[in-house]
C-alpha cells in the first residue's frame, strides 16, 4: 500500500470468505493468507466501516501504509466460562455424554465425553 499523510483516506478492502478461509485485498493488493490469523468488521451508523486485522507472527510479510492502531489485551475467558458452566444441568450433561456414539470404555472416557459435549454446547452444536 502507498503511504500517505492523509489520515482520513479510505482504502478499499475486499474480503472473499469461503468456509474457514478468506482472501483479503487492501487497495487491490492481495494479502498473504498466512499473514492474517483473523479479522473482524464493524460499522456504526454515521461512521466509516472498520476492518480489524489480527496479524500473525510472520517475519517475511511486510506491512506499510497508514493505520489507526490499537493494542488490547485478550479478555480473560475465566468469567465467561464460569457463567457457562454454572448454567449446565449436571443430569442433562451426564445423559448427553452417556448417549454419545464416541463414548469409549477406556479410563476417563466419560470425562472425555463430557468435555467434548461441553465444547459442542459452547459452540452451539
Amino acid at each position: 500500500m502507498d503511504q500517505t499523510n492523509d489520515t482520513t483516506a479510505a482504502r478499499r478492502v475486499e474480503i472473499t470468505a469461503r468456509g474457514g478461509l478468506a482472501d483479503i485485498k487492501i487497495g487491490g493488493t492481495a494479502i498473504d493468507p498466512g499473514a492474517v490469523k483473523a479479522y473482524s468488521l464493524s460499522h456504526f451508523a454515521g461512521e466509516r466501516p472498520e476492518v480489524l486485522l489480527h496479524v500473525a507472527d510472520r517475519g517475511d510479510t511486510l506491512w506499510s501504509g497508514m493505520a489507526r492502531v490499537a493494542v488490547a489485551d485478550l479478555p480473560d475467558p475465566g468469567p465467561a466460562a464460569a457463567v457457562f458452566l454454572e448454567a449446565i444441568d449436571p443430569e442433562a450433561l451426564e445423559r448427553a455424554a452417556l448417549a454419545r456414539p464416541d463414548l469409549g470404555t477406556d479410563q476417563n472416557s466419560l470425562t472425555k465425553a463430557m468435555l467434548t459435549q461441553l465444547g459442542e454446547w459452547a459452540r452451539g452444536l
Side-chain angles (χ1 to χ4, degrees), residues 108-123:
N108 303 318
S109 292
L110 181 57
T111 302
K112 182 178 177 183
M114 287 181 167
L115 290 172
T116 301
Q117 186 66 48
L118 286 169
E120 288 178 0
W121 283 348
R123 290 187 301 277

Side-chain angles (χ1 to χ4, degrees), residues 1-3 11-12 26-27 29 31 63-67:
M1 274 184 338
D2 295 339
Q3 285 190 341
R11 297 279 189 257
R12 180 177 177 85
I26 300 175
T29 302
I31 303 299
W63 296 88
S64 65
M66 299 296 291

Side-chain angles (χ1 to χ4, degrees), residues 12-24:
R12 180 177 177 85
V13 177
E14 297 175 52
I15 300 174
T16 305
R18 293 173 313 282
L21 303 174
D23 294 324
I24 301 173

Side-chain angles (χ1 to χ4, degrees), residues 45-121:
E47 297 182 20
R48 282 191 175 162
E50 291 184 349
V51 177
L52 175 61
L53 301 177
H54 300 266
V55 180
D57 294 327
R58 292 186 42 118
D60 58 346
T61 300
L62 299 176
W63 296 88
S64 65
M66 299 296 291
R68 183 171 53 184
V69 176
V71 178
D73 291 328
L74 293 175
D76 178 8
V83 169
F84 171 75
L85 292 172
E86 287 170 2
I88 299 298
D89 176 356
E91 187 177 330
L93 174 59
E94 187 172 330
R95 272 195 317 271
L98 289 172
R100 292 186 62 84
D102 59 350
L103 176 62
T105 58
D106 300 336
Q107 184 178 6
N108 303 318
S109 292
L110 181 57
T111 302
K112 182 178 177 183
M114 287 181 167
L115 290 172
T116 301
Q117 186 66 48
L118 286 169
E120 288 178 0
W121 283 348

